[in-house]
């Protein structure tokens, strides 16, 4: 006799502020979880990149070497390497254990807004304000990019990778999806400059945040609009949008210092987290847990679900 | 005595066996050869090596060769001069060993009983057939004699069977209770494939009630052997080639074979092969003996093949068709013979029958009937090319033929020039230099010229057929009416109809010409009477009327279709330039449509562009993805050659034809302002064009001020920044950025980016930058007045980048130098980075009043800095003037 599957736990949203990291590296331009969500990277405007354990609140390592602000970073799948891109137009590949830059890829003509590793961490894909996306090979010593995707007519503000796709959001108001397997480029016109894009966990949808203060959930295959989420304010800055670990909610940073969460299906506002006084610059959602990193000004805040009890904390 | 006694003793002895041969003197006793060493030798003492277990025999010859160790030796040449008669022809026996000729060899010489006489029961099928033949044959019971003659040698199996009580003709198996069956095959029933088991097939016959004794059993019915001859050839079913046995007597003999045997064709067929083999082999179908009962066929035995059967002389037979030797074409022949007369000559396959109904007759399409007065004579129309022959000759020819053949459409398509081809394709004329003198004439003059020409032609024709035209004059009324009608109908459509873009009657050049003239004159609004003169005077009234109608229709129809066709093509927008750049074949375009679609929230097909995109091979490898286009060498979007287009276009206005050549500043300014609204991709979407202008002008002003700063010692720069900076980037860099900004506003963006590229790491000498600045001066000075005006407007404009910058600087916490922040603001083309830290106001306030962010107080401050910029600008302007003077000198 088979028992019915237990009802999937209701998705909990990170409502509880667990920890605040004072990064001490100027404005935190981006905060990113690593592949398994145990560590995080913060990109500072003081040209450094820092590796943290956000759950314990310990800084592990600092990676100096960028010539300007660090704008984005990503950890490799095996946690051995980090890639980062900065306003110095360089993409750097760092070795985590030594803390030194292994390689620097120069070729972008402008600030590098976003960097991503591919699934095997053999390629770094970087998007820049110079409207190009460049794919750098980590395996060979080749100084020039493997391929340049210069279809965008304006700066690339955000980019994400799946196993065989490159998703880019550009200021020209288009979300482009390069499908390597099919050899196709799908370009969806949103109109308003795209500030952030991301894939849903199931890989079927694309979430695009644009500067008309709207998040749009698009069907990946057809480009049809599945949902629209409004309520936050995003008109000027490149702010991140996220999907939670179960794909049930959609989140986005806002210029009013809050983080908003909407129900993915209903589109109703589920949560508005007051993060800080300034603009919430960057968001990162834990890959498996209801755990959110929000970067505002010089600090990064870690948020967990309400039932979460930090280790060592006495019961209230 | 003793000797005697001994002798008697010897005689008393009984000896067993045969005595050994007495040993001869000195001979040793032979040792017995052990078993393993005993060998088999043939009659000649040669070793019989056993080999070929499957071929079953001993080796032939000497070590598998011929009889000698040396092998086969060719016979020595012997001159046959003397002994011609002794020359023998070698037969196969000459190459055989003697074993081959012995009893068990391949060619035994001894007399043995052959198969034919060996046993009756040996070949069961033959036996059976013979029996049947004996029953059915005209003289029944003939097989009995065979039995008498037959030898006694029978196979063991048959003997055993016989001993068990089997008799020939019976089946094998236990005896059954049934009524006796006559062993006569039913001639109508044929069995194909496997025969049914006897029990089943006999069921119905049992019902025939006859007297049946109780205790009588019968042997089972013998199974009728089926004649299964495999098909070994590739001929059609039932095909029998020419039978050599019938060559002589066959043709006639075959025909009346069945006359005698009557209905028993099947049996004769069954016996067929047997009789064949026998009859021919025997060779004594003796005429003297008559035809035996078992004789194969009732051949025409008395027939003789005479030469009279063959044609010996080529005589002219009367074929009956009166052609007398002329070989008619085959179709003609076959057509003569009706379908039904075909006789099926060959043997009809069993199971098939001749069709009773003939198949549908082939439909015959008769050749078109020629008109009565058609003359199958071709007359030449010499094509006169204007250049080669003299005009007089051409004219003479024209007169002689009475035809004008100068129409270009008559010529081959290779003879057409570009203009003619263009006309035929329905393209509009290129706006190039006029190719002929006629082009320089005005439209009116041209028309007049043509009219004069036509009139003269018309006169010439009129002379020839004056009387006909005179006749036709009487009935002008009706075409005129029609013309009126059509003119009404066509109306404006004709008015804009081109002269000769399309040729509906291109096949008939004369008609086309008439048509063109007609349309032309119709456009001029001529009435029917005058229109009428364009028609061929040789035509009848009715024909003319019809043609006019046709022309009207054509004018309407072809005009419209032509225009629709033409509307599908557009001219290339840009002239092909020397410096072309490959651009993507498919480009995302028609943003307008998409914008409306977005507004209507109709995402999906409307907003999606789907392109073929070729990933790099290495990228595919790195992504663990199979290359979707393994054969193509393209990377990225498929490209086509097109106009100059650069990656950096995104920075400036979207002017597709932007060339590298320096446009004047005014122009750039103009285009900037013009293209602003189109540029939806630009950062500020909500705030409109005006603000954009402002920002640009601000950049310019900023650039000015900083250029000033650069020329002064670096200390004032810091002053200007206002805040105490912890890290000041080298002044060179600031200067560099200034330069960039200047260039951005004044020059195409390529250079800007090059500059940016080089700037940060490379330490350039400031002097060289000054030089470059100086180069810039003339252009910037021209623009000066304009920009300053804009700056004034900008002062009162609402928030923009600059204010953001000040907001951040005012906070005073920023660890970054203001100049750098400025740089960020100006360099920013995408979404700005959020300010590092918020201003002094509390965060709650901000959230409450987002619109006022940043506060007005900062604005004021900013204005002050701008004032300062202004004054510096003025200073700079003076300097520029000096520079200008220098340049002038």
């Amino acid at each position: 006799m088979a028992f019915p599957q237990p009802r999937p736990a209701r998705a909990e949203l990170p409502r509880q502020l667990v920890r605040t990291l004072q990064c001490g590296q100027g404005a935190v331009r981006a905060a990113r979880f690593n592949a398994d969500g145990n560590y995080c990277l913060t990109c500072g405007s003081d040209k450094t990149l820092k590796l943290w354990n956000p759950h314990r609140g310990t800084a592990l390592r600092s990676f100096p070497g960028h010539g300007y602000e660090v704008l984005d970073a990503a950890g490799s799948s095996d946690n051995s390497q980090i890639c980062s891109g900065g306003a110095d137009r360089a993409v750097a590949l760092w070795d985590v254990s030594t803390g030194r830059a292994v390689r620097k890829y120069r070729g972008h003509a402008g600030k590098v807004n976003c960097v991503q590793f591919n699934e095997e961490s053999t390629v770094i894909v970087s998007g820049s304000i110079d409207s190009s996306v460049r794919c750098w090979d980590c395996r060979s010593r080749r100084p020039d990019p493997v391929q340049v995707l210069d279809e965008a007519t304006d700066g690339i503000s955000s980019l994400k990778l799946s196993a065989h796709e490159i998703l880019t959001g550009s200021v020209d108001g288009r979300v482009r999806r390069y499908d390597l397997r099919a050899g196709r480029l799908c370009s969806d016109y949103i109109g308003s400059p795209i500030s952030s894009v991301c894939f849903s966990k199931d890989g079927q949808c694309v979430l695009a945040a644009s500067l008309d203060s709207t998040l749009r959930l698009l069907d990946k295959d057809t480009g049809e609009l599945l949902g629209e989420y409004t309520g936050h304010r995003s008109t000027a800055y490149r702010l991140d949008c996220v999907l939670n670990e179960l794909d049930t909610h959609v989140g986005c940073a806002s210029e009013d210092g809050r983080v908003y969460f909407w129900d993915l299906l209903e589109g109703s506002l589920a949560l508005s987290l007051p993060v800080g006084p300034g603009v919430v610059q960057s968001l990162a959602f834990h890959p498996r847990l209801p755990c959110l990193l929000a970067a505002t000004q010089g600090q990064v805040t870690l948020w967990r679900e309400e039932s979460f009890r930090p280790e060592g904390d006495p019961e209230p | 005595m003793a000797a005697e006694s001994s002798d008697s003793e010897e005689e008393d002895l009984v000896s067993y066996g045969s005595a050994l041969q007495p040993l001869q003197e000195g001979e040793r006793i032979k040792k017995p050869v052990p078993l393993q060493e005993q060998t088999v030798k043939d009659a000649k003492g040669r070793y019989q090596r056993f080999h070929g277990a499957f071929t079953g025999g001993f080796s032939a010859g000497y070590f598998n060769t011929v009889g000698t160790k040396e092998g086969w030796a060719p016979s020595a040449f012997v001159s046959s001069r003397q002994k011609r008669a002794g020359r023998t022809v070698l037969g196969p026996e000459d190459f055989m060993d003697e074993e081959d000729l012995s009893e068990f060899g391949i060619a035994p010489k001894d007399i043995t009983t052959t198969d034919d006489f060996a046993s009756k029961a040996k070949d069961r099928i033959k036996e059976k057939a013979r029996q049947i033949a004996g029953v059915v044959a005209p003289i029944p019971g003939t097989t009995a004699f065979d039995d008498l003659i037959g030898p006694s040698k029978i196979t063991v199996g048959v003997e055993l069977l016989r001993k068990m009580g089997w008799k020939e003709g019976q089946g094998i198996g236990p005896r059954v209770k049934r009524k006796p069956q006559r062993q006569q095959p039913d001639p109508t029933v044929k069995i194909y494939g496997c025969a049914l088991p006897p029990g089943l097939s006999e069921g119905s016959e049992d019902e025939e009630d006859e007297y049946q004794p109780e205790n009588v059993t019968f042997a089972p019915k013998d199974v009728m052997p089926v004649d299964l001859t495999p098909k070994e050839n590739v001929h059609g079913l039932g095909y029998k080639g020419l039978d050599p046995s019938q060559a002589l007597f066959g043709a006639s003999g075959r025909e009346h074979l069945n006359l005698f045997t009557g209905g028993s064709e099947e049996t004769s067929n069954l016996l067929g092969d047997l009789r064949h083999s026998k009859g021919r082999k025997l060779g004594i179908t003796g005429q003297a003996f008559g035809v035996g009962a078992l004789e194969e066929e009732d051949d025409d035995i008395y027939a003789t093949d005479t030469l009279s059967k063959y044609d010996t002389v080529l005589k002219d037979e009367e074929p009956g068709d009166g052609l007398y030797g002329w070989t008619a074409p085959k179709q003609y022949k076959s057509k003569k013979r009706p379908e039904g007369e075909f006789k099926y000559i060959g043997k009809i396959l069993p199971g098939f029958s001749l069709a009773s109904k003939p198949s549908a007759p082939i439909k015959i399409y008769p050749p078109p009937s020629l008109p009565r007065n058609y003359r199958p004579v071709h007359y030449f129309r010499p094509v006169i090319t204007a250049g080669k022959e003299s005009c007089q000759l051409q004219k003479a020819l024209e007169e002689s033929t009475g035809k004008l053949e100068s129409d270009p459409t008559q010529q081959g398509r290779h003879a057409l020039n570009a203009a003619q081809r263009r006309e035929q394709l329905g393209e509009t004329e290129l706006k190039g230099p006029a190719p002929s003198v006629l082009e320089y004439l005005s439209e009116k003059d041209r028309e007049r010229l043509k009219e004069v020409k036509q009139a003269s032609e018309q006169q010439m024709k009129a002379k020839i057929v004056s009387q006909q035209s005179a006749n036709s004059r009487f009935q002008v009324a009706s075409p005129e009416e029609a013309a009126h009608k059509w003119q009404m109908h066509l109306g404006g459509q004709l008015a804009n109809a081109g002269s000769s873009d399309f040729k509906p009657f291109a096949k008939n050049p004369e008609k086309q010409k008439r048509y063109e003239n007609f349309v032309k004159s119709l456009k001029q609004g001529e009435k029917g009477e005058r229109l009428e003169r364009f028609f061929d005077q040789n035509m009848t009234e009715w024909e003319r009327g019809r043609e006019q109608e046709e022309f009207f229709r054509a004018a309407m129809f072809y005009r419209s279709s032509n225009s629709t066709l033409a509307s599908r093509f557009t001219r290339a927008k840009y002239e092909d330039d020397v410096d072309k750049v490959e651009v993507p074949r498919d480009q995302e375009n028609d943003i307008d449509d998409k914008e409306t679609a977005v507004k209507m929230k109709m995402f999906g097909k409307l907003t999606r562009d789907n392109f073929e995109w070729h990933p790099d091979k290495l990228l595919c490898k790195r992504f663990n993805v199979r290359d979707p286009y393994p054969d193509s060498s393209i990377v990225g979007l498929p490209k086509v050659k097109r106009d100059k287009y650069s990656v950096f276009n995104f920075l400036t206005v979207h002017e597709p034809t932007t060339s590298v050549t320096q446009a004047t500043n005014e122009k750039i300014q103009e285009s900037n302002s013009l293209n602003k609204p189109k540029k939806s991709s630009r950062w500020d979407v909500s705030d409109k064009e005006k603000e954009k202008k402002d920002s640009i002008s601000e950049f310019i002003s900023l650039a000015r001020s900083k250029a000033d700063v650069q020329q002064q010692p670096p200390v004032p720069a810091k002053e200007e920044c206002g805040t105490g900076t912890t890290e000041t980037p080298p002044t060179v860099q600031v200067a560099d950025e200034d330069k960039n900004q200047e260039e951005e506003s004044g020059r195409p963006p390529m250079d800007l980016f090059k500059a940016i590229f080089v700037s940060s790491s490379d330490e350039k000498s400031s002097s060289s930058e000054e030089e470059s600045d100086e180069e810039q001066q003339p252009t910037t000075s021209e623009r000066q007045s304009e920009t300053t005006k804009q700056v004034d407007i900008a002062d009162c404009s609402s928030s923009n980048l600059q204010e953001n910058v000040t907001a951040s600087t005012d906070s005073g916490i920023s660890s970054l130098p203001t100049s750098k922040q400025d740089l960020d603001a100006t360099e920013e083309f995408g979404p700005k980075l959020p300010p590092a830290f918020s201003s002094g106001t509390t965060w709650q306030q901000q959230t409450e009043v987002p619109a006022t962010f940043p506060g007005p107080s900062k604005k004021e401050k900013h204005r002050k800095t701008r004032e300062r910029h202004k004054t510096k600008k003025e200073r700079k302007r003076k300097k520029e003037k000096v520079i200008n003077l220098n340049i002038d000198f």
Side-chain angles (χ1 to χ4, degrees), chain B residues 267-503:
Chain B
T267 51
S268 70
N269 276 348
L270 193 73
L271 296 169
D273 57 335
L274 181 74
R275 283 202 236 163
H276 259 280
S277 59
K278 219 173 193 178
R280 286 304 151 204
K281 257 182 198 166
L282 286 171
I284 340 164
T285 16
Q287 299 181 359
F289 297 99
V291 183
L294 261 182
E295 255 332 304
E296 178 193 10
E297 288 157 0
D298 201 2
D299 284 341
D300 187 4
I301 49 175
Y302 304 110
T304 45
D305 203 33
T306 59
L307 274 178
S308 63
K309 281 183 179 176
Y310 302 95
D311 288 338
T312 50
V313 186
L314 276 173
K315 57 182 178 184
D316 46 346
E317 312 164 281
E318 226 284 323
D321 54 2
L323 289 167
Y324 287 102
W326 182 75
T327 315
K330 269 193 177 159
Q331 298 130 320
Y332 181 61
K333 243 183 186 167
S334 61
K335 215 198 290 168
K336 273 195 82 178
R337 190 193 257 174
E339 198 73 22
E341 272 181 36
F342 275 120
K343 212 162 70 183
Y344 189 76
I345 297 157
K347 189 188 162 195
I348 295 165
L349 284 174
F352 291 89
S353 64
L354 261 181
S356 58
K357 203 165 59 180
S359 57
I362 299 158
K363 205 170 183 185
I364 297 151
Y365 298 95
S369 55
L370 295 171
R372 220 168 2 121
N373 53 355
Y374 173 73
R375 277 172 63 230
V377 178
H378 180 72
Y379 67 93
F380 264 103
R381 299 172 173 186
V383 177
I384 302 138
T385 46
K388 281 174 189 168
E389 269 108 334
S390 67
C391 288
Q392 280 145 357
L393 174 64
Q394 188 178 350
K395 255 181 198 160
L397 276 166
E398 275 169 25
E399 276 164 20
S400 69
T401 53
K403 308 249 173 202
L404 194 73
E405 287 302 322
S406 56
D407 197 290
T409 50
Q410 184 92 16
Q411 296 163 7
R413 87 190 144 88
H414 297 293
L416 294 175
N417 61 22
Q420 284 162 346
R421 232 171 297 148
R422 186 229 318 138
E423 274 178 12
Q424 285 191 355
L425 287 169
E427 287 168 353
T428 50
E429 210 169 332
L430 285 169
K431 298 284 187 293
S436 81
V437 189
L438 271 176
E439 299 292 316
Y440 292 107
L441 295 174
S442 71
E443 189 72 33
K444 236 191 210 169
D445 290 339
R446 247 179 285 165
E447 291 296 336
R448 214 182 299 153
L449 263 174
K450 274 184 185 167
E451 259 179 310
V452 168
K453 213 166 90 188
Q454 281 157 11
S456 63
E457 275 173 27
Q458 162 69 22
Q459 275 175 4
M460 201 176 71
K461 276 183 185 172
K463 261 183 221 163
I464 303 162
V465 281
S466 55
Q467 75 276 32
Q468 280 180 8
S469 63
N471 287 343
S472 63
R473 283 295 148 112
F474 291 111
Q475 291 161 327
V476 189
S478 64
E480 195 175 357
E481 224 172 87
H484 269 298
K485 186 183 80 189
W486 279 106
Q487 231 152 8
M488 292 273 283
H489 197 72
L490 289 167
Q493 202 178 354
L494 268 173
N496 55 10
S499 59
S500 55
D501 277 353
F502 206 87
K503 307 215 169 189

Side-chain angles (χ1 to χ4, degrees), chain B residues 144-350:
Chain B
F145 297 113
D146 281 337
D147 290 336
L148 288 177
I149 301 163
S152 61
K153 192 186 176 188
I154 44 172
T155 55
V156 180
V158 173
E159 221 159 357
L160 280 170
L161 275 172
R162 274 188 181 160
K163 277 181 179 169
M164 288 164 74
W166 174 78
K167 289 191 186 88
E168 287 186 28
Q170 287 177 348
I172 300 163
R175 297 177 73 84
V176 288
K177 258 191 166 187
R178 60 168 172 81
K179 84 177 178 149
Q181 282 284 308
R182 279 204 304 153
Q183 292 288 334
Q184 185 179 9
D186 190 353
T188 55
V189 175
K190 282 191 201 169
I191 299 161
Y192 297 101
C194 297
L196 287 166
L200 276 173
S201 59
E202 258 87 67
S204 61
E205 286 165 41
D206 284 338
E207 280 152 36
E208 268 180 54
D209 47 357
E210 222 174 88
Y211 170 69
Q212 233 175 317
E214 278 294 307
N215 49 357
V216 177
T217 54
F218 296 94
K221 193 187 170 188
D222 199 5
V223 179
M224 181 68 201
V226 182
D227 184 17
L228 296 170
T229 46
K231 185 168 148 48
E232 288 160 327
N233 52 17
V234 291
H235 302 306
L237 267 181
Y239 170 83
K240 275 181 184 168
L242 190 66
D243 191 354
S245 66
Q246 290 181 8
L248 222 55
F249 309 105
S252 57
R254 205 76 170 112
E255 297 261 300
H256 39 93
L257 161 71
N258 289 338
L259 290 177
F260 191 69
T261 45
S264 62
E265 207 189 338
E266 277 78 18
T267 51
S268 70
N269 276 348
L270 193 73
L271 296 169
D273 57 335
L274 181 74
R275 283 202 236 163
H276 259 280
S277 59
K278 219 173 193 178
R280 286 304 151 204
K281 257 182 198 166
L282 286 171
I284 340 164
T285 16
Q287 299 181 359
F289 297 99
V291 183
L294 261 182
E295 255 332 304
E296 178 193 10
E297 288 157 0
D298 201 2
D299 284 341
D300 187 4
I301 49 175
Y302 304 110
T304 45
D305 203 33
T306 59
L307 274 178
S308 63
K309 281 183 179 176
Y310 302 95
D311 288 338
T312 50
V313 186
L314 276 173
K315 57 182 178 184
D316 46 346
E317 312 164 281
E318 226 284 323
D321 54 2
L323 289 167
Y324 287 102
W326 182 75
T327 315
K330 269 193 177 159
Q331 298 130 320
Y332 181 61
K333 243 183 186 167
S334 61
K335 215 198 290 168
K336 273 195 82 178
R337 190 193 257 174
E339 198 73 22
E341 272 181 36
F342 275 120
K343 212 162 70 183
Y344 189 76
I345 297 157
K347 189 188 162 195
I348 295 165
L349 284 174

Side-chain angles (χ1 to χ4, degrees), chain B residues 740-760:
Chain B
N740 293 342
Q741 282 147 25
E742 262 188 27
E743 278 172 350
E744 190 205 350
S745 52
R747 280 168 59 176
M750 174 92 82
D751 302 4
L752 157 74
F753 256 89
K754 272 182 186 160
I756 289 178
F757 244 114
V758 193
S759 65
S760 70

Side-chain angles (χ1 to χ4, degrees), chain B residues 454-632:
Chain B
Q454 281 157 11
S456 63
E457 275 173 27
Q458 162 69 22
Q459 275 175 4
M460 201 176 71
K461 276 183 185 172
K463 261 183 221 163
I464 303 162
V465 281
S466 55
Q467 75 276 32
Q468 280 180 8
S469 63
N471 287 343
S472 63
R473 283 295 148 112
F474 291 111
Q475 291 161 327
V476 189
S478 64
E480 195 175 357
E481 224 172 87
H484 269 298
K485 186 183 80 189
W486 279 106
Q487 231 152 8
M488 292 273 283
H489 197 72
L490 289 167
Q493 202 178 354
L494 268 173
N496 55 10
S499 59
S500 55
D501 277 353
F502 206 87
K503 307 215 169 189
F505 306 109
K507 277 180 188 168
N508 190 344
E510 282 175 60
K511 198 174 181 183
Q512 174 66 28
K513 207 169 176 185
R514 265 181 273 147
Y515 168 68
E516 278 166 27
N517 290 333
F518 174 80
V519 171
K520 212 176 287 167
S521 56
L522 204 63
K523 263 193 284 177
Q524 288 161 9
E526 287 184 20
K527 290 284 175 286
E529 193 178 349
R530 286 195 64 194
L531 287 173
E532 206 251 348
R533 72 192 155 83
F534 295 115
F535 296 112
D536 196 349
Q537 303 300 330
N538 295 324
M539 288 195 296
T540 64
E541 197 63 38
W542 180 78
E543 279 176 321
R544 226 174 297 169
R546 232 183 87 178
E547 197 172 70
Q548 192 179 8
E549 189 95 347
E550 205 178 348
F551 283 178
F552 275 124
R553 276 185 204 284
M556 203 164 78
F557 174 71
Y558 280 106
R559 276 320 306 166
S560 56
S561 76
N562 179 31
S563 56
T564 51
L565 193 72
S567 68
R568 295 191 180 203
F569 299 94
T570 52
R571 263 156 151 290
K573 276 177 186 158
Y574 318 115
E575 289 285 336
D576 281 350
D577 210 346
V578 187
D579 44 0
K580 275 192 292 192
V581 163
E582 285 190 333
V583 297
R585 183 184 64 190
D586 320 294
Q587 273 181 317
E588 303 150 337
N589 42 12
D590 53 296
I591 283 177
D592 295 341
D593 292 357
K594 280 173 187 142
E595 211 130 29
T596 52
V598 166
K599 263 175 203 154
M600 293 161 73
K601 299 202 173 175
M602 287 167 70
F603 286 88
K605 274 181 189 168
L606 290 174
T607 57
R608 171 158 282 207
D609 290 308
N610 214 322
F611 306 115
E612 189 180 313
W613 177 71
H614 296 244
D616 194 276
K617 286 194 166 45
L618 182 61
L619 198 67
C620 285
K621 205 189 273 178
R622 292 279 183 264
F623 272 77
N624 282 332
V625 168
R626 194 179 66 88
D627 193 352
Y629 305 100
D631 304 326
S632 82

